[in-house]
Amino acid sequence: MHLTTDEVRHVAELAKLRLTEAEITQYTQQLAAILDYAELLQQVDTSHVLPTPYVLPLANVMRDDVSEPSLSNAVAVANAPDKANGFFRVRAVFEE
Amino acid sequence: MKPVTMTKQLYELTIHEALAGLRAGVFSSVELTQALLDRIAAVDDDVKAYLTVTPERALAQAAAADQRRAQGEDAPLLGVPLAIKDVLSTEGVRTTCGSRILEHYVPPFTATAVSRLEQAGMVMLGKTNTDEFAMGSSTENSGYFTTHNPWDLDRVPGGSSGGSGAAVAAQMALGALGTDTGGSVRLPASYCGVVGLKPSYGRVSRYGLVAYGSSLDQIGVLAKEVRDAALILQVMAGWDDRDSTSLPLPTPNYAAALTGDIRGLRVGVPQEYFIDGMQPEVDTTVRVAVAHLQSLGAELVPISLPNTDKALPVYYLVATAEASANLARYDGVRFGYSAHADAMFENIRQTRGQGFGAEVKRRIMLGTYALSAGYYDAYYLKAQQVRTLIKQDFERAFAQVDVIACPVAPTTAFKIGEKTDNPLEMYLSDVFTITLNLAGMCGVSVPCGFDASGLPIGLQLVGPHLGEEVILRVAHAYEQSTAWHTRWAPLSN
């Protein structure tokens, strides 16, 4: 299967991954090889087969809407790389 | 109850032997825990199974267990030192998932499976190494270091729960939790010569398990003997209101299933799991093990699982698609590494580009591609449809047989570095294990021999969904009528 470096760059942007040129080149080759292997699936007739996204018969699992103790603000932001006044701090979104 | 034989060092005990000794007052949990910490200090420089050892916490838990016991209390794991794979959240103890992106992450809560073990009296020795975010078959994808196989330090322990497998095999824990998305408990069990149990999907709560492939992930056990694995499953199984995919069903009594009697059981032998290109010793050793089941009174039934050869591509599309969504949360904002770049989206790109290792990025890329516009039907949807056929293969088989017996992997443990340049070849290590995850079935790896280099070989016993009792029964009967479980890696202490 032919995969271009531009396609790989596009996928990297969808996945929000900053890749090096060397990584782009390497992943272009490796993903093409893996997708070639996945071509095996195209031989299977699935015209009347439903997909299995999930193996259990459970659906729409509900619980009563009751409040329970939850994390304190200090604990919730404790792992943040950047925080201020109990908030997660990020760079302005509209600068780009 | 058998008296505890003191010909063994404390760290050499099984869990059920240790419990007998603790209950009889032969030794304390502090003594037992210290023996394991000493063992870790003696051999883990060579094996490198642990990412984090928590000696003070372990000794405090052991002292608390001893105090509870002195007050007349007992509990299923009271005072038993175990290891936990570092993808399971532990409040107050760093949980890295083998990734640099979570190097300093300390969870504010504990995974349900772990908290149930703690409520049952477990002493946690530490957190074990794993391929980054459980993505791998060797621990070579760990962001920290590679774990070495205790049977041959130049070889991998299998993955992704290789740290847990090696910790049990090197007798640095009486047992350990692992996780299994495509074989990550059973493969290290096979490569390290210990028992590895992957429960059915829905049997054990995944709350607090850092997600990789959510429709496939399941928490499992690495243990010295089947009885120990059954005990740990007993404690951690069952419905949890924090995981909507845990099943609201009572947990059977697994110890009661260990009857030693498998007469009349129908054991399916799938032709697709004995293939060209396998290591010949694995083929012959597993066939001998299957014949042994027959000698114990089981009936062997040749079966076919015709879509087995499609499972690997299905798995690598489904698992990576799910991973690409699950790993979107690592954005450098709420937890984990941040590149601290000057602009919002550039920070996300750089954080992820720098924080994730090569295999994780490869799988995110593959999964994102499979889900992207124009390719969704051809890859992701197609894979989900073929997944249905794989599941139907098992359903047809289990209409005929009680359990399926087959190899865990096509080879024994490979050399460190042997497959790192070829991801596809590495993925082939999982060819006999991923089918169960796709179908939600349960499976167990039990030691069944060694190859000419002295490397362990595992027999895989597969059961239907929620069929843990039958696979544990067969594994236990096999184990107790053979001597493989009495052989240990010749590490110097």
Side-chain angles (χ1 to χ4, degrees), chain B residues 197-201 203-204 218-220 233 236 441-443 468:
Chain B
L197 172 65
K198 181 208 111 58
S200 308
Y201 188 80
R203 183 43 96 191
V204 178
Q218 187 63 198
I219 299 169
L233 178 63
M236 68 177 180
M441 308 293 166
C442 58
E468 283 81 4

Side-chain angles (χ1 to χ4, degrees), chain B residues 105-192:
Chain B
Y105 173 64
V106 180
F109 57 86
T110 297
T112 296
V114 177
S115 63
R116 286 185 179 174
L117 297 189
E118 286 187 328
Q119 281 155 23
M122 169 188 69
V123 171
M124 187 180 88
L125 294 163
K127 306 294 292 288
T128 54
N129 195 24
T130 169
D131 290 290
E132 186 175 4
F133 289 105
M135 297 180 190
S137 310
S138 68
T139 73
E140 290 166 296
N141 297 330
S142 167
Y144 298 88
F145 45 75
T146 298
T147 299
H148 298 254
N149 191 312
W151 293 91
D152 178 347
L153 295 173
D154 292 333
R155 291 177 187 267
V156 302
S160 66
S161 311
S164 287
V168 175
Q171 311 207 74
M172 293 189 283
L174 300 192
L177 292 193
T179 63
D180 192 314
T181 305
S184 282
V185 163
R186 291 159 287 153
L187 187 69
S190 179
Y191 282 6
C192 293

Side-chain angles (χ1 to χ4, degrees), chain A residues 18 23 27 30 44 50 52, chain B residues 346 358 361-362 384 388:
Chain A
R18 169 71 65 232
E23 285 175 319
Y27 288 152
Q30 290 176 338
V44 185
L50 291 172
T52 299
Chain B
E346 189 52 25
K361 285 189 274 193
R362 186 155 41 236
Q384 300 283 33
T388 301

